[in-house]
Amino acid sequence: MVALEVGRTANVMSRRFGLGDGTTIGGAAALALDPHLLAECSAGRSVVLVSGTNGKTTTTRMIAQIWGADRRVISNASGANLPAAHVVALASDPRAGAAVLEVDEGHLHAVCRAVRPSVVVMLNLTRDQLDRMSEVRHVAAEWRELASELTDQTVVVANTDDPMTVWAASAASRVVWVSAGQPWTLDSVLCPACGELLVRGGCDWSCGACGLRRPVADVALVDDHVVLPGHPDLPLRLGLPGRANRANAVVALGAATALGVAPELALSVVERVSSVGGRYGTVRVAGRSLRLLLAKNPAGWLETLELVGASTGPVVVGINARAADGRDTSWLWDVPFEQLRGRQVLAVGDRRVDLAVRLLYAEVDVRLVDDLDSELSTLENLGRPIDCALTYTAFQDLRRRAHDE
Amino acid sequence: MTSDSTLLVVAVYPAVLGTYGDAGNAAILTARARQHGLDVRLHVVEPFAPVPADGDVYLLGGSDDAAQSGAADALRAQGGLARAVDRGAAVFAVCAGFQLLGKSFPAGDRQVAGLGLLDADSRRLASRAVGELLIQPGVPSDLPELTGYENHASGTTLGPAAAPLGTVEMGIGNGDGVDGARQGRITATYLHGPALARNIVLADHVLQQVVGTLPALPYPPYADRLRAERIRAARSRADRPRAPLQELFEQIGRRSRRRRSRP
């Protein structure tokens, strides 16, 4: 396995040169030598793939924990979700017969072809890193093509409440439909199949022209209950906060049914899942407690604003636009930051000036902060953590230099 | 102006012509008008409701291909925008909005008719134009250099009746060395950002199309710092040499991320 050895060397070199934890680069080097490596590493294993714009990492963890109750399961725990990282994950434990892998939505098609998964989870598709993704509909079209290539050996688990995802998943022969909700609707104003205006009413949506419509759900999230036919409603009492995590949990339950795991057992497992990759975790910086929230795109921000809205006091918002964040910050103007009126926002990150301009037009009290540590030490200690909502690399940076509580 | 001299700003289908944050241009233009002491009302037209013909300024943003075709069809059929332009209304159009105002633009594999309000034709570029865009206006000009972020698959060729907004210093713009268009009271560009957040003077320019010369106003807070940062960022990308090993790793990363590009 020369390719894997080269990959491991590249990992070490990457860490030595401070270019990252090495997971992706090592795998990329290995894949450059042997493009079939991913297929080889996954042969003979049962694989669940999880993709979508938001919720991949948490849902992957939930499914890995559910499945891991009775077998050895690999997962790409660090959230590195490109094919290169999958190679590394799969090679890491030759004895594991099962894997649950988070996959970047732009790579799901390629990974499906290589891996022949048992289950493909399609969470949602909304605007994110448009400098890399160009159009949401392009990604949905790729997903639709991959769905049409799946045999009946693969079950797709898909969100009924996102028209883009439904359009894609409905090309598959076997689908478990999960109503997980979708508050962000601006990327599905028009029917993805025919371009006509979608008709919406409450949670329901349909196209008057071509008949694409919200499917009947096999599993549904209704407020904070899970509704399954033939079962009494199951209350969801998650360790993780917010509507988005209830949505992730109900999708994980949908995947559990596809894997033959009893819903009550699956539920008891997901309720114990807590901070994944530091998300929603509390850390200490400059003598203050911070609750770290990851928010990367308008749909994610919509959910984060709801969480943040439950508290009072100052909020830290950190915006970077490095490669992993998406290099354009125009999307800040799609986020209803007006909801932060009445709070003071401390703007941090590489693109804090773009953020400050946005917040001024939203009539939000914003303070441009060049040095977060000294700013934090001047804040009154309110006796509860300060919410910090950050894009991906800003989140990783703060986590790296904080001390876990 | 409407009869009570309130400036009517019309945002045209921002729910579909606003994929790259361009809906923000409406908020910025409206706020700037008020800063100038003008009475202003913002009317948002949902897709594909009728566009009123009595507006003073019309804003169109960027979109994906399906939305662009749908918007063009609806605007052509209903005719409110064309009547407004005929009456002397000002228009500020970005990206897909820019293209659909022209004589033709690509939709799928075909070339379809635009609204014909701009002497311009748009066609697919060889590869997608994505990145910081820096424009130098012609000399003499009422405009400063303009900064934004572009993200588009098609470029535009201007006919004799349209002049460009400026020449491209960094980036692609229309694709032939210039960006955007000025024709009558229409101003168009490939600058996202949104454009008016980074270039408040462009907002003043659009307002002056309607109300005549306005006295110079200071920049809103942080706006000049934002401009300076973005212009520096646009320039540094070309000038900054990459460490060879870093370039190698980035290339490996790019290879594993490459997707099929649309024609």
Side-chain angles (χ1 to χ4, degrees), chain B residues 62-108:
Chain B
S63 76
D64 65 22
D65 288 358
Q68 182 182 33
S69 295
D73 288 345
L75 290 171
R76 186 187 309 107
Q78 190 260 330
L81 178 62
R83 284 195 297 280
V85 169
D86 214 38
R87 273 182 52 247
V91 181
F92 181 69
V94 181
C95 202
F98 169 16
Q99 294 169 355
L100 69 82
L101 290 180
K103 297 192 320 227
S104 74
F105 63 91

Side-chain angles (χ1 to χ4, degrees), chain B residues 11-42:
Chain B
V12 178
Y13 318 145
V16 297
L17 292 181
T19 320
Y20 296 94
D22 297 323
N25 284 326
I28 298 163
L29 188 73
T30 312
R32 188 64 168 179
R34 291 198 177 109
Q35 201 185 347
H36 278 292
L38 299 169
D39 225 352
V40 60
R41 183 166 73 85
L42 174 64

Side-chain angles (χ1 to χ4, degrees), chain B residues 129-189:
Chain B
V130 183
E132 287 289 328
L133 178 58
L134 186 59
I135 310 299
Q136 296 297 337
V139 176
S141 177
D142 45 345
L143 293 172
E145 55 193 357
L146 300 171
T147 160
Y149 197 92
E150 64 182 337
N151 191 338
H152 53 111
S154 299
T156 304
T157 307
L158 301 180
L165 188 58
T167 54
V168 173
E169 182 190 324
M170 294 296 305
I172 306 295
N174 293 3
D176 55 4
V178 299
D179 173 74
R182 294 170 71 160
Q183 180 175 337
R185 292 187 175 146
I186 299 175
T187 309
T189 178

Side-chain angles (χ1 to χ4, degrees), chain A residues 28-42:
Chain A
L31 269 177
L33 281 181
D34 181 359
H36 301 295
L37 206 49
L38 188 53
E40 288 163 22
C41 287
S42 61

